Amino acid sequence: MALENATVMKAFRMYSLLARDSVVNKGLLQEYMADDEVRGLVDQFAREVDCVTIIAGEQLYMIPETRLSPFHMNNEVIKRTYLRANAVNADLYLMYVSIIVLIGAFYDSYQTMEPTRSFIQLDEWTALVNERIRMLKRYPETELREMEKEFSYNWTSLIDKWSAMDDIKETASRQSGNTISRVSFMDSVRRFLIAQELVSDIGNQEITLTEKAKVVVQRYFMELEYNRGILEFLYQFDPSEEEASRHAGDI
């Protein structure tokens, strides 16, 4: 049975708003949930552009599922918009690793489906990234090179990039300049996540996960198909074991 034109147009208008803003609010979400035919069409339109729809709180989001999606934010845009003007791929992948570590901090190293904490401070998040990169430094260079082939991450360049950053906690005025530091880099990652509505800034250098982030984590981050084993790789060492590897030195 052919769908009525009014139903098709209602679904298309909803999809158009999702395509423009990536989100629609409570009123349209209720229409989406109440009408099976509209919901099916909106989801079908999203799939045609390699996107999926997710419901988080009282909002409906459309997010790209693959790099083939025209809504996927490419690496150059991310570097140009959120990182330094001369950022390279190592900066970008360090951002990705920092985000993985952030999610791990909320989800007990990927062993739970619900967050185990309410918020995290920027300083603690920075320290956790440092901890994970110290774990990477434990590997002999030959092993790292082999794992780079497996995970498509240049772990050696990430270690070098992080090691080259200033570890001094800067003043607010210095952070606003071009000084390269771990603090300012992590703040750039924080701003990216806020812009993508994945974290909220709650003040005092503290952030919390949004409902959108929780749904994305449950739906994708926990799936080996999507994380390609990177999460297990980063968390295979317990921080308490670090005492046995002091010979690796501090980064």
Side-chain angles (χ1 to χ4, degrees):
M1 179 177 176
L3 293 172
E4 292 185 6
N5 185 63
T7 299
V8 175
M9 292 308 299
K10 181 188 290 188
F12 184 74
R13 282 192 294 269
M14 193 178 298
Y15 165 77
S16 297
L17 290 173
L18 286 169
R20 187 188 70 186
D21 302 327
S22 80
V23 60
V24 296
N25 293 318
K26 186 176 180 180
L28 286 178
L29 171 60
Q30 290 176 340
E31 289 187 32
Y32 173 85
M33 293 298 298
D35 192 321
D36 291 344
E37 291 181 339
V38 168
R39 184 168 64 254
L41 282 172
V42 171
D43 291 350
Q44 183 178 341
F45 294 155
R47 286 194 299 271
E48 285 297 310
V49 288
D50 288 309
C51 289
V52 294
T53 55
I54 64 170
I55 297 171
E58 295 184 339
Q59 295 179 306
L60 173 68
Y61 292 91
M62 186 174 78
I63 60 175
E65 190 173 33
T66 73
R67 292 183 179 181
L68 298 176
S69 172
F71 298 97
H72 172 72
M73 186 181 297
N74 68 47
N75 291 350
E76 293 307 313
V77 171
I78 296 174
K79 286 189 287 187
R80 184 172 63 250
T81 307
Y82 298 101
L83 299 174
R84 297 175 294 113
N86 59 344
V88 296
N89 283 343
D91 294 281
L92 188 69
Y93 286 106
L94 186 56
M95 172 189 271
Y96 294 161
V97 168
S98 300
I99 294 170
I100 289 172
V101 171
L102 175 70
I103 301 301
F106 278 94
Y107 284 84
D108 193 22
S109 300
Y110 304 95
Q111 295 174 4
T112 55
M113 292 299 288
E114 296 294 332
T116 56
R117 65 189 299 167
S118 299
F119 63 88
I120 191 170
Q121 290 189 320
L122 186 64
D123 284 352
E124 182 185 356
W125 180 19
T126 304
L128 289 174
V129 172
N130 187 62
E131 185 178 274
R132 287 301 131 194
I133 293 180
R134 278 201 294 165
M135 296 299 181
L136 291 176
K137 199 176 181 184
R138 292 175 59 176
Y139 285 97
E141 187 173 346
T142 53
E143 285 190 42
L144 275 181
R145 296 295 184 192
E146 285 301 312
M147 287 183 288
E148 286 171 3
K149 298 175 184 177
E150 180 178 355
F151 296 111
S152 300
Y153 267 57
N154 192 328
W155 301 111
T156 304
S157 68
L158 294 184
I159 292 171
D160 292 342
K161 177 65 67 174
W162 185 258
S163 301
M165 290 182 184
D166 182 9
D167 196 24
I168 298 173
K169 187 174 182 179
E170 302 163 326
T171 64
S173 60
R174 286 185 62 199
Q175 287 182 34
S176 64
N178 293 321
T179 306
I180 301 172
S181 77
R182 294 173 188 177
V183 173
S184 57
F185 176 81
M186 296 301 292
D187 188 61
S188 296
V189 182
R190 180 190 66 87
R191 288 187 291 104
F192 168 77
L193 291 171
I194 290 172
Q196 299 304 310
E197 299 184 56
L198 296 171
V199 303
S200 296
D201 190 332
I202 57 176
N204 297 319
Q205 293 288 297
E206 296 170 349
I207 56 175
T208 185
L209 295 181
T210 62
E211 290 303 313
K212 177 184 178 183
K214 294 172 187 177
V215 173
V216 170
V217 168
Q218 291 172 358
R219 193 159 171 176
Y220 297 105
F221 268 71
M222 304 299 182
E223 293 292 330
L224 185 63
E225 174 188 353
Y226 292 99
N227 66 52
R228 297 181 301 166
I230 292 175
L231 311 185
E232 183 180 359
F233 169 63
L234 280 176
Y235 281 91
Q236 63 183 300
F237 292 118
D238 189 281
S240 63
E241 298 173 356
E242 182 63 12
E243 287 295 322
S245 61
R246 293 253 180 218
H247 62 278
D250 291 332
I251 294 180

